[in-house]
Structure formats: C-alpha cells, structure tokens
Amino acid sequence: MSLARAPKLSSYLSGAVLAAVLGLSVLTASEASASSTGFRQAVAETAWENEAVAAYYRANGYEPLWTTQTPEAEARRRALLQALEEATMHGLPDMSAKAADLVAQMRAVRSTRDLGAVEVALSRALVDYALDLQTGMIDDPTSIDEGIVRVKHKVDATGFLRGMESDRPFAFLQSLVPASTQYRELLREKLRLEQVLASGGWGPTVPVRKMEPGDTGPAVIALRDRLVAMGYIAPNASGSFDAELEDAVRRFQSEHGLEVDGVAGEGTVAEVNRPVTDRLKSVLVAMERERWLTPNRGTRHILVNQTDFTAKIIDNGEVTFVTRSVIGATSNDRRSPEFSDEMEHMVINPSWHVPRSIVTKEYLPKLQSNPNAHSYIEITDSRGRVVNRDSVDFSQFTARNFPFAMRQPPSGSNALGLVKFMFPNKYNIYLHDTPQKSLFNREVRAFSHGCIRLQKPFEFAYALLAKQTDDPVSFFQNIIASRKETKVDLQVKVPVHIIYRTAFIDEEGRAEFRRDVYGRDAKVWDALQRAGVALPGVQG
C-alpha cells in the first residue's frame, strides 16, 4: 500500500490539549521520533474493515481528522462524545459506554500506531452513530416481517466524515437529525411520555365494563381520573358520566382510531388502560420507521397509513385530501405490504383481472362444485378467448395446472369499482374503488386481498387530475359515462408511500395512536431491543 509521508508526531500531540480533552498520554521525545509512517500505516490497516471509513482516508491521504492538537480537532472530539452520550434522546441505544471506551482508548495511547487506531475508532463511531440516526438501527427491515418490503434510503457514509471537517462540528451533528416534521414531533412526544413515565404513569387502570352518559360509580370515577391524568379532561369531583366526560371520551376515541360515540365500551377502556410504556414503544418504533423513509417524499405525494385506514394527498407538507381506506385482511397471505413507489396512471372503468392466487385458491374449488359459479366473471384461455364453462371439466384441474385466466368486465359491480390507481409493482398492489361501501363504516377496516380500497375514489381522482386539466370532474365523468375501459396517464408521476404507523402526529400537532393490526410493530420493537434500545422505566 502506498502511503503519503506522515507528519511528525508533535503535530498530533501537544500534551496540554490532548491530555485535557482526550486523556491521551503524552509521548516522550524518543517515542515521538518513531517511524514517520506509523500513524498512516495504522490508519490504513485499521480502517479497511469499514468501507466508508477506508474510502475517506484513502481520499484524504490518511490525514488525521480527530487526533491533532488543533482547536478544530478538539471541537470534533467533544462534539462526537457529546452526541454519543445523548444518543438515547433519539431512541437509539445507550452509547455512553462506547464514549467511555473511546476515552479509555485515547488515554491508553503510547505510540503512533495507537494514535492511528484511535483515529479510526473515532471515525467508525461517528459513521455508526450517523447511520443509526439517519437511516435506522435495523439494517434490513425486510427481515423482520414478510409484509415489510421497504428498502431503506441510502446515504454516502463518507459524507459524515467530510461533514466533520467543518469548523462547526456540533452544528453538523445536529444537522444529521431527520428533518421531517413527523420525526421532530415524535421526538417531542417521546420526551413527554418519558416524563409521564418518570412521574409514575397515568394511575390505576379502569375496570373493563361498558360506561355511558348517566352512569355513576367507582368505574366512572376511575375512568375520569385516568383521562384527567392523560390530559383529556380537567380535574373535578364529579362522580357521574356527564357531558364533560363524554366529550373527553370522544376526544380520546378520535385520537386512537376508535368509533367516536362517547360510550366507553370494552374496546375504548382497553385502549385507555394501555400503559405509558406501550405508547412509548409505539413512538420509538415510529421514529425508527421514519428513518427508513427517504427524506425526499415528493412535493406532492400520496400517504397511506395502514393502521389509520386512511389515504392522503400531501402538497408541500399540507394534507389537501383525505379519505378512509380498507387494507388487506389480517391473514398472512392477504396483508398489505409497506413500500414506496410512483403512481403513473389511473384506469377508469377497469376490468378486474383476477390474480392467479385468488383464481386457484378461491374460485377453482367453487367451479369444481358448480361450473356456473361466479358467472359474472369471464374465463379466458391463453389467447384471451372466452371459454364456454359447459364445455370444461373443472374437476381435472389443480391449482398448479389450471390453464385459464379470469376477468370481470367493467361495471358498477366490478370488484375494483369504477377506477383504479396504478403504481406498477411486483406485489400487484394498487388503490381502487369498491362496490362494498359499507366496509368503510367499520372501525377496523382490514378486509381486502392486499390492495387499498378508497371510500372516495372519484374525489381522489379529481384531486390528481386537477393538476393537468381545468375541469377534472367533467373529464372524469365523461369517461365514466362512456363505459369504456380507459387509461389516463398522470403527466407528473406522484410518489406513493404505504406506511405502517401506530403512532403519528396529526395535522394539529396532536399525538395519535392506533392498534397494531398486523402485529408488525411488536416485531420491530423486538428487533430494536436486540439492537440495544431500552425504555427508561417499567411503570405504566
């Protein structure tokens, strides 16, 4: 390996500064006259295990970033050690032991090779910390659950080291904190919940029974006390389920994705009784998930939060459209995946080309019992010709050798309704209308085969088309009236982010929570614990 000539050791060490700031031992004159290539050789040999660190030092000729006696290097060391000490503030593992190890390593320096090893150790600590903070601690989210197919956004880790060359290292490290509003507000909620936890939580739980306006008794008092502690109602001595308590219950229900009826049924009481630790876990998981997402969401983008059962259009950070949604059912083969893509077009008056998995698992057994089952769906051969059902013996086929496809022509009763919104992907997931409108009135809306159904698909289409036509309503309705299957390209592709958040901050800045409908957040939390994340207490 070719190394540039190393500076004298005296340029790295000046006793007073390094001993005070780093705890580095001061070398003797004889030690300082050791091999001039020792430092750079040590850096080269130690850095190779981390590609980003190795690339940085190859590019800068193995010059020191941390281990000189300059005020700039001193500030870098201070900034890094402080960031490691404060890592738990961002829901990262406690890195104070790592900081202590670095200090101990610095104090143990006795040679230029030791100093080179310290140089690399500091750089590796920075890269590890910055990657955790910017892209998440979990290296591969897809390994946690088969429905998490999101690919984490990538960063150039050498840029972290280049950034520390700044004369304002504290400001640079602060700039690494994810800048999204969600992350910043989730961080605020995390700190609030930690304070609640430290003060003992929200008090005794509420007896699980139905309570409604007019009720009295110990359970009502317990409900009031719990909601007082949670900030939904001001303290008072009332022992009845009065209008004020009903309003508090409604607010709680709204902010937890429950049916807003003002009645504290078993489902509502169960959520009221959730401990602070549960809510804090949800926030920590949401912060980790926020790190996975690209910071460049799109000036205009579509956001589907599966646990909230909603789809939104976001323009310049503001919600400009929202509708209820139905997501995949909770069985393993029907859960909606979470990923990002780009919406390219919509199809008005769509045909439903039945996915083969549905054809073979659901329809073939019925055809074998009754060839005319689901007669509104066409059966077609490999050339697209409609097959006469009476001429086929369906009993001879299995899921593996069934040779036909199935298609439902455009109609108001089509499984896709009258419009679908396409962002072509290998999971065959898209957004669409549905004739099953009653499902949108359910509290938990997990019923589909995986695609996302919209309660207001026409209005959703109008909002998208408004960017490319002066009269989106007439444009859309004229095509509907034609009854012809029509593809309409979006002139500008719109990013689509299908996410899964059981904790999020709403448009008014309030923290809201949802149930872990697929159990994915529990798995993410387990992974975070394995990575070293811990709660500050156990009271709830």
Side-chain angles (χ1 to χ4, degrees):
M1 178 180 298
S2 175
L3 297 176
R5 184 172 61 84
K8 293 180 180 179
L9 186 60
S10 59
S11 67
Y12 296 106
L13 301 172
S14 71
V17 173
L18 262 97
V21 177
L22 286 177
L24 291 176
S25 299
V26 181
L27 304 189
T28 66
S30 60
E31 290 170 325
S33 64
S35 170
S36 63
T37 61
F39 174 83
R40 287 191 172 114
Q41 187 69 48
V43 170
E45 291 177 355
T46 312
W48 73 271
E49 294 181 347
N50 185 299
E51 179 53 36
V53 174
Y56 172 77
Y57 285 109
R58 283 196 301 270
N60 85 342
Y62 301 94
E63 291 291 333
L65 177 65
W66 310 93
T67 53
T68 68
Q69 80 278 26
T70 62
E72 291 81 8
E74 176 185 344
R76 292 176 196 130
R77 297 188 293 266
R78 287 186 182 277
L80 175 60
L81 292 174
Q82 178 176 314
L84 296 179
E85 290 282 357
E86 297 175 352
T88 56
M89 183 178 74
H90 290 282
L92 302 179
D94 187 345
M95 298 182 185
S96 58
K98 176 64 176 176
D101 289 344
L102 288 170
V103 170
Q105 187 177 357
M106 288 186 277
R107 286 175 175 162
V109 167
R110 295 294 182 273
S111 68
T112 53
R113 296 189 67 81
D114 291 346
L115 198 63
V118 166
E119 174 76 24
V120 172
L122 290 163
S123 289
R124 292 189 64 169
L126 169 69
V127 168
D128 290 345
Y129 165 80
L131 284 173
D132 284 353
L133 183 61
Q134 286 219 318
T135 68
M137 291 161 279
I138 298 172
D139 292 334
D140 181 15
T142 63
S143 66
I144 296 174
D145 183 278
E146 62 183 10
I148 303 177
V149 293
R150 177 169 306 287
V151 178
K152 286 169 52 172
H153 76 101
K154 303 296 183 183
V155 295
D156 175 14
T158 61
F160 301 139
L161 294 164
R162 291 194 299 271
M164 283 300 283
E165 295 172 357
S166 162
D167 58 2
R168 299 180 61 203
F170 288 91
F172 172 71
L173 288 175
Q174 185 60 33
S175 75
L176 298 179
V177 176
S180 71
T181 300
Q182 276 294 308
Y183 185 89
R184 301 288 178 141
E185 292 301 316
L186 284 167
L187 177 57
R188 189 189 305 274
E189 179 66 7
K190 168 187 173 290
L191 298 176
R192 187 189 73 83
L193 289 173
E194 287 175 342
Q195 291 175 350
V196 172
L197 190 60
S199 65
W202 289 314
T205 56
V206 181
V208 180
R209 46 157 283 198
K210 182 179 180 181
M211 289 169 277
E212 54 191 346
D215 285 353
T216 60
V220 172
I221 294 172
L223 175 63
R224 180 183 295 275
D225 289 345
R226 185 89 172 176
L227 291 176
V228 165
M230 298 174 82
Y232 285 95
I233 187 173
N236 66 51
S238 173
S240 67
F241 199 125
D242 54 18
E244 189 178 16
L245 182 55
E246 180 184 358
D247 181 64
V249 169
R250 287 180 179 275
R251 283 182 52 214
F252 179 89
Q253 290 170 329
S254 175
E255 293 178 14
H256 291 76
L258 306 170
E259 181 182 356
V260 181
D261 58 7
V263 174
E266 291 186 5
T268 294
V269 173
E271 291 301 305
V272 169
N273 282 339
R274 293 275 294 274
V276 178
T277 49
D278 278 8
R279 301 307 185 194
L280 185 52
K281 289 175 187 177
S282 291
V283 169
L284 291 170
V285 169
M287 291 172 68
E288 172 72 2
R289 287 179 173 279
E290 185 70 10
R291 296 183 192 106
W292 298 346
L293 271 176
T294 174
N296 302 315
R297 313 287 163 84
T299 303
R300 157 169 276 209
H301 63 270
I302 295 162
L303 188 71
V304 178
N305 185 2
Q306 296 179 35
T307 66
D308 188 38
F309 307 107
T310 57
K312 299 175 180 178
I313 296 177
I314 314 290
D315 287 295
N316 298 306
E318 300 292 330
V319 177
T320 56
F321 178 85
V322 61
T323 180
R324 290 187 172 195
S325 68
V326 167
I327 66 171
T330 56
S331 58
N332 286 334
D333 60 339
R334 295 177 65 176
R335 296 176 179 177
S336 300
E338 45 188 293
F339 65 102
S340 294
D341 213 303
E342 286 189 321
M343 185 172 292
E344 299 179 0
H345 64 271
M346 65 182 74
V347 179
I348 304 172
N349 298 318
S351 295
W352 181 40
H353 298 275
V354 186
R356 183 165 179 83
S357 60
I358 298 177
V359 169
T360 57
K361 290 181 182 179
E362 299 183 24
Y363 289 166
L364 177 57
K366 295 178 180 178
L367 291 170
Q368 290 172 333
S369 299
N370 174 14
N372 291 313
H374 299 287
S375 59
Y376 55 89
I377 298 180
E378 296 176 346
I379 299 176
T380 57
D381 62 19
S382 59
R383 299 174 62 181
R385 298 173 299 190
V386 177
V387 173
N388 184 338
R389 293 171 179 242
D390 293 332
S391 65
V392 179
D393 177 10
F394 292 104
S395 64
Q396 66 180 306
F397 299 119
T398 65
R400 177 168 298 186
N401 66 11
F402 187 67
F404 305 119
M406 300 184 74
R407 167 185 173 271
Q408 185 180 14
S411 72
S413 59
N414 185 286
L416 305 184
L418 293 172
V419 61
K420 65 178 180 178
F421 305 90
M422 305 300 292
F423 39 105
N425 57 80
K426 62 183 178 181
Y427 316 109
N428 198 28
I429 297 298
Y430 45 89
L431 279 56
H432 65 87
D433 182 18
T434 176
Q436 295 179 292
K437 306 296 186 184
S438 63
L439 296 180
F440 293 107
N441 296 322
R442 304 286 187 90
E443 183 176 281
V444 177
R445 299 185 288 276
F447 299 104
S448 80
H449 284 86
C451 286
I452 310 298
R453 304 175 187 174
L454 304 180
Q455 183 182 34
K456 300 178 180 178
F458 287 14
E459 293 85 349
F460 187 78
Y462 303 157
L464 293 173
L465 292 170
K467 294 289 185 178
Q468 61 190 65
T469 181
D470 292 335
D471 189 353
V473 176
S474 296
F475 177 87
F476 183 86
Q477 289 295 339
N478 287 338
I479 298 176
I480 289 288
S482 75
R483 299 188 178 182
K484 294 181 180 179
E485 187 165 359
T486 304
K487 176 185 176 184
V488 178
D489 289 325
L490 297 182
Q491 292 177 1
V492 177
K493 296 178 182 178
V494 181
V496 178
H497 304 292
I498 301 178
I499 66 173
Y500 187 99
R501 300 286 174 82
T502 61
F504 59 92
I505 309 302
D506 67 17
E507 289 71 48
E508 282 71 46
R510 296 187 299 259
E512 298 204 9
F513 296 91
R514 298 294 184 265
R515 284 171 283 196
D516 190 5
V517 63
Y518 291 157
R520 286 181 189 157
D521 265 18
K523 294 180 181 180
V524 175
W525 172 249
D526 287 344
L528 290 178
Q529 284 188 299
R530 291 193 296 271
V533 176
L535 297 179
V538 295
Q539 284 183 291

